[in-house]
Each structure stands twice: as C-alpha cells, then as structure tokens.
Amino acid sequence: AGPLVRTFTPFYFVEEPQDVVSVRGAAVILNCSAHSAAAPSIEWRKDGAFLNLQSDERRQLLPGGSLLISSVLHSKHNRPDEGHYQCVATVDSLGTIVSRTAKLTVAGE
C-alpha cells in the first residue's frame, strides 16, 4: 500500500462579523457563514464565553449562522450586549475555526 493521501477539504468563513455601533433597543445582526462539504455547526462567543442561545429570548442563531440580537439592552449599569463577539464554526471530522473578533458598541448615554 502506498502512502495515505489526505485530500484538503475546504473549510473557511464566507462571511465574518464586522464591528458594529448600535443604539439601545435596535436590532443588530452579526454576520457569519462558513463553507464546508459537511454543514458546520455555528456557535457564538461573547468576550470569550460561549453564548447559550437556547434559553435566550433576545439573541438567536439565524439559519445561515449569523447572530441576531432582537433588541439591544443598554443602561448605565447593565450592558449585556456590548462586547467582543466571535463566530465559531465546527465540522466534526475537520475541526474548528474561529472568526475575527467583532466589537459591538452601544452609542448614546
């Protein structure tokens, strides 16, 4: 038997999230989509911690992998949406890729 040839399987981000400035109460979409022969599973991290979107009424994963924040919350002492977001795409047989970091800033008071 000859040497085992590993073929390169393309796995890359088609779209990565961009920095965004929002206002309180607005909807925000952080774009993310990844390409692979097998459909990648997409997760999101905020400030390094994975978001639990199952129990989140304001944040949801859109079918393509983008993150929708339906209404940005922001007050003097509570800024749950402001921060650094990363899209994490995983294909079991290939591994995981992590997008660039996008900063969500809330303008105003």
Side-chain angles (χ1 to χ4, degrees):
L4 181 66
V5 177
R6 289 194 61 134
T7 56
F8 177 72
T9 306
F11 181 26
Y12 56 88
F13 284 107
V14 177
E15 193 169 22
E16 296 188 61
Q18 301 295 316
D19 293 352
V20 63
V21 176
S22 178
V23 293
R24 189 175 69 193
V28 169
I29 292 180
L30 292 167
N31 290 315
C32 178
S33 62
H35 170 83
S36 169
S41 65
I42 303 279
E43 294 178 286
W44 281 87
R45 284 199 308 222
K46 177 182 178 286
D47 299 330
F50 281 101
L51 292 173
N52 177 5
L53 299 173
Q54 274 70 40
S55 60
D56 197 321
E57 293 174 1
R58 292 183 312 104
R59 291 183 264 209
Q60 68 184 60
L61 188 63
L62 297 176
S66 296
L67 179 69
L68 168 67
I69 303 172
S70 60
S71 176
V72 170
L73 286 182
H74 192 76
S75 64
K76 197 176 206 173
H77 303 293
N78 186 29
R79 298 177 180 182
D81 296 324
E82 210 168 53
H84 296 87
Y85 289 81
Q86 285 177 305
C87 174
V88 180
T90 303
V91 174
D92 287 341
S93 59
L94 295 176
T96 298
I97 54 177
V98 179
S99 75
R100 68 181 293 280
T101 300
K103 184 177 180 194
L104 172 59
T105 307
V106 181
E109 67 279 20

